[in-house]
Amino acid sequence: MNPAMLSLELAVIGLALAVLLIDLWTLHEFKHRLGYLAAAGLLVILVASLCCASTGEPPATGFSGMFVQDGLALFFKRIFLAAGVLVVLMGVEFRDRIPMGLGEFFTIILMELAGMMFAASANDFVMVYVAMEMMSVSFYILISFQRSRSYSLEAGVKYLILSALSAGLLVFGIALIFGTSGRTNFAVVAAEGTRLAQNKLFCLGALLVLLGLAFKISAVPMQMWAPDVYQGAPTPVTAFLAIGSKAAGFVLVLRVLFVAAPALALHWGKLFTWAAALTILYGNLCAIPQRSLKRLLGYSSIANAGYILLGVAALNPPGSVAVLYYLAGYAFTLAVIFIVLCLVARDSDDIAVLAGLNRRSPLLALALTLGMISLAGIPPLAGFFGKLLLFKAVLEQAAVHRSYLWLALVAIAGVVISYYYYFGVIRAVYWSEEGPEMTPIAVSAPLKVSMGVCIAAMFYLGLCPDAVLSAAAKAVQALRF
Amino acid sequence: MTPVGLQHYLVVSVLLFCLGLLGVLVRRNVLVIYMSLELMLNAANLALTAFSRFNNNLDGQIIVFFIITVAASEVAVGLALIVALYRRRHTTHVEDMTALKN
């Protein structure tokens, strides 16, 4: 056992406790500086993870095999850390709408981040449960942080009930897996994979675990919560839900499917094609009539979960590489969109608040437009190349099973539908009647820099994807197909 | 009379789980729904303990401790949240939670 394996997680938790302590000696008007402190700390940890931390080669396991530090874990931890920096900076911008407890707000974001990082390294079903609950419990608090707004509280209670339901399914699934295999460690369960794949009880257990994880990635049939919670939660928290929680769900799905139960995954291609197709159609069709921007992004997030599930359903290494690549691009795309929403959608998040945005702040209008273009999947931005990779992986599989051809067609139909509502947002920015509020919007320097970084990352991922692709290809070596 | 075996425990556990799930789906009071959710967790605890006992493998009972601990922290936050909602809206019925909708 090597405690140095946990250095990134321990650093984040240490930072969280430091922020909590320093909060005690900080005057109210300086509390937002805690956010800058947290962001700076996370940035240092991110840089450390990029240059000094072990590369995950060879993979190291610790704590009786419960925790694994490999390429896959590190890839996701870097996404989470980058998302954490951006979310904390959004939180600083959002401070006037958080009546009290700004220090705790940043602390809980950091705790949440630690939970996501543990999830990325989970190598045992117990670890999956504990990491998922660490995320969920932090999110209950974060979502309902604006206690004076009944939207926020209602979203929190809805998330509480549905998340606890998914945890119940997950735990019962783990109980069945433990009962049939006698172990909860992924490697041990996988070693007996072929025998267990015949066992109905084990299959039921794995199915329940996947249902529990489907909640986190907001995939059909556990997608109901996403629009309501996205709309009600404070905007930085919505961003974290959309970026971090979804990515954490996907890393767990990949690990459970391709590390713990590779024998089972082979038989479950059909299940995943159905889940992906239904998720894509549900998200895209329901997004069309939406007027609330955050609700729209909630449905869009369901649709994107469907696209990413294409890569899982393909059951091949290119599919998983595409999942990783897509999630990296998705993180920066959504971050830039939510930064704009933090600044623009102050009292209401109706699409009408975007009216005249191109004259109030050309920078924000451009950033939002680029974000929407990337989400719609138009070259040369990150979203386009990610979708291309996902479709390519599915078509490769279509040579073997013809049903994948239908899946690809459904996905393309979904993308075409999504143009309607993504371009609806762009139209509202540039071509709508001028709104009553036409004062220019001031953007703080840290947010300007973060928007610049996100836009640069979107172009970089779209134009020269090689570096990230090779990192993703190395990361998926942890999986077996 | 046959001795109580693994199946008996599992049947009770599945029944508890289904009762909990049913409660979540049909009950309309958030507190009762939350109780039903705890029932689901306890069904899993029972299954884990029984598997542990009959397979001579104590790992399951340790997992139960994890679940109890995590569930306790979840309840602490969850009940606080429900109380906060009650103070604001004076209701704990799911029918009244319609501020967020299409």
Side-chain angles (χ1 to χ4, degrees):
Chain A
M1 192 185 88
N2 178 9
M5 267 167 57
L6 281 178
S7 50
L8 292 176
E9 286 80 3
L10 288 179
V12 171
I13 293 174
L15 185 62
L17 296 178
V19 169
L20 191 65
L21 270 182
I22 299 170
D23 180 42
L24 293 176
W25 289 284
T26 311
L27 291 173
H28 185 73
E29 58 264 41
F30 299 123
K31 294 257 194 218
H32 65 279
R33 291 190 187 164
L34 291 169
Y36 290 129
L37 173 71
L42 285 181
L43 210 56
V44 170
I45 299 171
L46 175 64
V47 171
S49 86
L50 284 169
C51 28
C52 327
S54 68
T55 55
E57 293 292 335
T61 54
F63 304 93
S64 329
M66 290 185 99
F67 186 96
V68 61
Q69 183 78 307
D70 55 9
L72 187 67
L74 274 170
F75 188 93
F76 275 93
K77 280 176 193 177
R78 285 164 189 157
I79 296 184
F80 296 144
L81 283 168
V85 175
L86 296 165
V87 167
V88 168
L89 288 175
M90 276 183 233
V92 174
E93 180 58 39
F94 205 75
R95 63 179 181 271
D96 52 338
R97 283 156 276 179
I98 293 174
M100 54 181 149
L102 195 60
E104 285 91 333
F105 187 69
F106 296 125
T107 306
I108 298 171
I109 288 179
L110 294 176
M111 290 292 188
E112 171 78 58
L113 180 63
M116 289 173 186
M117 291 167 75
F118 277 114
S121 277
N123 196 36
D124 190 294
F125 282 104
V126 180
M127 188 80 182
V128 171
Y129 172 69
V130 174
M132 261 190 62
E133 287 300 295
M134 194 166 169
M135 286 191 277
S136 296
V137 174
S138 313
F139 265 134
Y140 302 155
I141 307 173
L142 286 176
I143 290 171
S144 42
F145 217 89
Q146 290 176 296
R147 275 190 298 171
S148 50
R149 276 177 76 239
S150 86
Y151 273 13
S152 185
L153 282 175
E154 187 179 316
V157 169
K158 282 183 175 167
Y159 190 79
L160 168 75
I161 299 294
L162 291 169
S163 172
L165 177 67
S166 79
L169 297 176
L170 181 90
V171 166
F172 203 74
I174 292 174
L176 291 182
I177 288 173
F178 170 76
T180 46
S181 69
R183 285 285 179 278
T184 50
N185 190 287
F186 286 176
V188 181
V189 172
E192 297 190 55
T194 37
R195 178 179 70 80
L196 290 170
Q198 313 292 329
N199 188 329
K200 290 250 162 46
L201 219 49
F202 178 79
C203 293
L204 180 66
L207 191 68
L208 287 175
V209 168
L210 287 175
L211 268 180
L213 295 177
F215 170 85
K216 280 270 171 261
I217 61 180
S218 64
V220 168
M222 306 289 281
Q223 85 292 10
M224 305 307 292
W225 60 278
D228 283 357
V229 173
Y230 276 45
Q231 187 184 3
T235 309
V237 178
T238 313
F240 213 22
L241 265 176
I243 303 168
S245 178
K246 192 182 288 284
F250 269 106
V251 67
L252 288 177
V253 167
L254 288 177
R255 281 219 197 262
V256 167
L257 263 190
F258 300 123
V259 179
L264 212 55
L266 289 176
H267 303 291
W268 282 9
K270 202 155 224 149
L271 189 79
F272 280 93
T273 49
W274 275 103
L278 289 176
T279 310
I280 290 173
L281 287 178
Y282 179 91
N284 281 318
L285 291 175
C286 292
I288 292 173
Q290 298 309 325
R291 296 283 305 167
S292 153
L293 285 167
K294 274 156 79 184
R295 211 176 168 80
L296 177 85
L297 286 168
Y299 283 113
S300 145
S301 134
I302 296 175
N304 277 293
Y307 299 137
I308 305 171
L309 270 179
L310 292 178
V312 179
L315 302 176
N316 53 13
S320 297
V321 171
V323 169
L324 265 60
Y325 177 87
Y326 195 91
L327 282 168
Y330 187 69
F332 291 111
T333 307
L334 276 190
V336 83
I337 291 174
F338 278 109
I339 289 175
V340 175
L341 285 192
C342 261
L343 290 159
V344 178
R346 295 188 67 85
D347 303 315
S348 114
D349 66 336
D350 192 89
I351 199 163
V353 297
L354 295 179
L357 181 63
N358 66 325
R359 263 186 270 153
R360 295 176 72 192
S361 168
L363 171 71
L364 292 182
L366 179 73
L368 187 61
T369 308
L370 286 174
M372 287 294 161
I373 288 177
S374 175
L375 270 186
I378 290 175
L381 293 163
F384 164 74
F385 200 74
K387 284 203 178 69
L388 190 73
L389 287 173
L390 289 167
F391 286 149
K392 222 172 94 191
V394 168
L395 287 176
E396 259 178 47
Q397 202 69 356
V400 190
H401 300 288
R402 299 207 56 87
S403 59
Y404 281 92
L405 214 54
W406 286 108
L407 182 60
L409 287 178
V410 169
I412 289 169
V415 172
V416 174
I417 299 170
S418 73
Y419 287 162
Y420 174 78
Y421 57 86
Y422 289 136
F423 282 94
V425 174
I426 298 176
R427 197 179 58 214
V429 172
Y430 287 100
W431 292 284
S432 58
E433 306 258 317
E434 284 182 9
E437 175 77 56
M438 285 305 284
T439 45
I441 301 169
V443 186
S444 67
L447 279 193
K448 264 187 199 156
V449 173
S450 17
M451 274 195 292
V453 169
C454 289
I455 292 172
M458 268 154 55
F459 274 106
Y460 174 74
L461 283 167
L463 293 173
C464 10
D466 297 333
V468 177
L469 272 184
S470 67
K474 267 199 205 109
V476 299
Q477 281 170 2
L479 308 174
R480 269 162 295 154
F481 298 93
Chain B
M1 215 179 104
T2 52
V4 178
L6 179 59
Q7 303 94 307
H8 299 86
Y9 284 104
L10 289 187
V11 167
V12 174
S13 149
V14 169
L15 278 178
L16 272 179
F17 186 78
C18 293
L19 271 178
L21 194 61
L22 195 72
V24 174
L25 297 176
V26 301
R27 297 307 289 263
R28 287 285 152 254
N29 186 323
V30 175
L31 278 173
V32 180
I33 292 178
Y34 208 55
M35 254 159 58
S36 308
L37 287 165
E38 292 301 313
L39 206 58
M40 289 171 70
L41 287 183
N42 283 326
N45 284 343
L46 181 61
L48 279 168
T49 322
F51 278 130
S52 188
R53 168 75 180 74
F54 285 92
N55 293 345
N56 285 325
N57 179 352
L58 282 178
D59 288 6
Q61 304 196 4
I62 294 168
I63 302 174
V64 170
F65 279 111
F66 272 96
I67 294 174
I68 292 175
T69 317
V70 171
S73 66
E74 201 172 7
V75 167
V77 175
L79 286 183
L81 196 50
I82 294 172
V83 168
L85 185 82
Y86 182 79
R87 282 198 182 150
R88 177 110 199 125
R89 292 267 190 92
H90 300 287
T91 174
T92 51
H93 273 261
V94 280
E95 280 99 352
D96 302 323
M97 291 186 205
T98 50
L100 300 162
K101 62 178 177 190
N102 289 323

